[in-house]
Structures are given as C-alpha cells and as structure tokens.
Amino acid sequence: MVPRNANVVKISYNDLVAACSNDASSSSVDDLIEQAFGKANSSSLGIIAITDIPSLPSLRTKLLPLAPKLAALPPQQLEEITAPESQYQVGWSHGREKLEGDKLDFSKGSYYANPLTDDLVESMLQRRRYNAASQLGDGDNDNDESHVHGKQQMEELLKWDESLNQIQNEEELRQLASANPAFFAPNVWPTKSLPELENSLKEMGQLIHRVGVYLAKCCDSYVAARCPGYKPNTLESILLHSKCCKARLLHYFAKDDTSDSSNNNNNVDDGDNNNSGIADDTQFSSWCGWHNDHGSLTGLVPAMYHDENGNIVQCPDEDAGLYIKSRNGDLVGPVKLPENALAFQVGETMQVHTGGWLHATPHAVRGCKKGGISRSTFAVFMEPEYHSSMDLPAGRSVSDTQCEEAEKSLPKTVRTLRSRWKLGMNFGEFSEATFAAFH
C-alpha cells in the first residue's frame, strides 16, 4: 500500500475563537470540521490543525526536550515514578502496552499525568462538598456575585451529567477509586530527578485543554445542525467540566538505543520484497502500532527529533512520522504539522456521543530509518469522568456509530469499537474494557 500525501485541514486560532464567540460566521469553520472529521466525507482523516496559537512554540521548546532526559534517567529514578498499581496509567511506563496483537511495545517510553489536577478523587470530593454547601444555602451571601456564579457553575455541572449523582457519598467514591486505579490514581512527579517537568507539562496540557474546549464547541454546532436528537453542548460540556484528563509525554527510542533490541516494533521495513514500493499496514507502525484513541478528543504537539547527544535536529527520514487510515481505508502520511499548531484527533467516545457524525481514525507512527534519531511528542487525552454516560443521541443506532463497512477498513490489529463498547456502559466501564485489551 502506497501512502498518499497528508493534506491536514487547518483552522487559525483566531478564527476558532471568533466562531465560538459569535463574532464571525461559523459556516466556514463548519465546512472545515466536515472535511476533517465528518461522517459525510469518507476521506476524512479525523485530524485537524489549529494554527498560530499564542505561546505554543515557547512551551513546546520547554517541554519536549525533557522527554529524552526523562527516558535517560537511571533505572532507580524511573522506578520511583513508576506506578504498576495504576496499570501504568500514571507516571513512567515502558514495555507495558500491547499494540498490534500481544506484542509488548518497547519502542517508546511514556510519562502520564493529569494536567488539570494532581488528585482526581480529591477534586471530585471538593466539588461534591461545594455542592452540598450550596444546597444548604447561606443567607449572608446568597446575593454575592461570586457565590451566585459558583452556584450557577455547580448547577450547570450537575445538569451536564446527572449520572454523577450515582456516587452517593465520599466513601463510595473512594471505594470506586480504589477498585479502578488506572482511572483515579494521583499524579507522581519526578520532583528530585527532573523538577522542571511538572510546571512545563501542566502549562502545555492546560493550553491544549483550553483550545480543545473551543474546538469541541464548534463540533457541537456542526453535529447539532445535522442530528435532530443531539443534546446541545454535549462535547463542550464534557471537556469543560470533566477533571479526567490524561497527558502523555512520549519518547520514541532511536532504533539502536532501545532497551530491548529484540522488539519487533523496532524494525523498519522499506517495502514488500515481492512488490517494490508496496507495504502492508505494519510497515508504517515501527514506533507506535495502529490504534484508535478511546477518549473524546486528543490534542497533539508537533513532534521534535533528537540526535544521540540530545540535540534538536530535523528528521533525516522524510517517511518517518504519523500515519493515518482515512475512513475509506486510504493510508495517508506522514502528517507534517507547523510548529505553531496543535493537532486534534477525534476519539471513540466522541464518535459514540455524536452517533457517528464525527469519526475516530486509526493512526500509527513510523520510525526513522537512520540510526541514532529519536522522537519526542506530547498528547493530551480529554475525556469524560467515570460515571459519565456513553449513550447515543436519540435516533442514532450502533450501526450508525460504527458501520460494518468502516470496520472493514480498520488495520487488522485494531480492535473494533463494538468489541469494547456496549449500550448501557458508562465511560469508566468502556475505559476498563479498553485498558484490558491493550495492557
């Protein structure tokens, strides 16, 4: 299979903000969302670039060079920030994830943290305590502007997801967190070995989250205009209110400096021996296997490449980088992003919440053929909280959400959405099913 060039749809940051604030017509943004994400466009890539974002280049330059530094820490220091009890969903993880079958992935190392809160459980408890206090009322400050605004925010939050009321008390939430550490485990920072990581990661993660909320609002408008049963502001409300947000700093090891030289993911094949220039899917996934993101929306920072001494370099292999399978099965890549842009990709949860009007697409990362070149990037997975519903819009069906024809275009190692998601699940249950499939 010969990949075609990736023409990523782009929206400027100022145009995105204007569309959200109604300062300009959003019809042009609607058209671009259709091209990038939409069900009606069978060649959509499920990715869009938001360009000219203030402060992004400087934050990128601060954060991404920390990835190879982190990966190069002594084993004892990496062990201090490894959390096996979280199913390696917090802190350092290497060789724990399974992609493309039962093959452990040693080709990259990852560091996970929540950029919005250090402790998801405590943030949820604080929110419940605030709500309980507001329900009791306080006659002395009922008319205080900050009190009224806070109460309005809490009422909006509870209206956003009434299923949060399923957690009856603090003890029940703590028990849920104890039973599901992959979802609720608190952040673990390398405060001694790499103290600058925490602030840099949080700054970048929060920037991506803010831009993601803007984009979600525009996606809501797009879907609502086409799906009569769609609940207004679904996506924006999820991203705005949910404290469940997973950031992942990734370092892809150079093909000759990985800690497991026998890793099959580390072998880059230039083509099928029987058909020059033609390759199967797995030949485009030597750094990261084919997969769909399972959350709502993923924000992605343009990658940075490093030589053996940690210096930032241009990638010497024009074929290395991110590859995507379009909805009609076309192989596209490598995706090239300007340094002042963030990419956003649709996740499977957004696909469910929109009844298939917006579609996740499989993607993978092809390694650099030249030895001694590593790659660093940063992704933020924005998603609902544990008890959030995974219901479809009224009038939409499971077959609308992922039709059998679209499933035929998935790479053979990508598990279908319907194999992990069932009607009636909440997001936590869907996440557990996904973790179980890949770890």
Side-chain angles (χ1 to χ4, degrees), residues 56 67 112-113 156 256 266 364 378 387 389 401 423 429:
L56 173 61
Y112 295 94
E156 184 182 348
D256 54 0
N266 230 20
F378 182 70
H387 275 102
S389 133
T401 304
L423 287 172
E429 293 165 338

Side-chain angles (χ1 to χ4, degrees), residues 59 61-67 69-70 73 111 189-204 249:
L59 292 179
T61 301
K62 282 175 58 180
L63 176 62
L64 293 192
L66 298 180
K69 291 183 179 180
L70 182 71
L73 290 176
Y111 177 83
W189 296 104
T191 51
K192 295 180 180 178
S193 52
L194 198 64
E196 62 267 39
L197 177 61
E198 179 176 355
N199 186 59
S200 296
L201 186 148
K202 286 180 176 178
E203 281 186 309
M204 178 64 86
L249 182 65

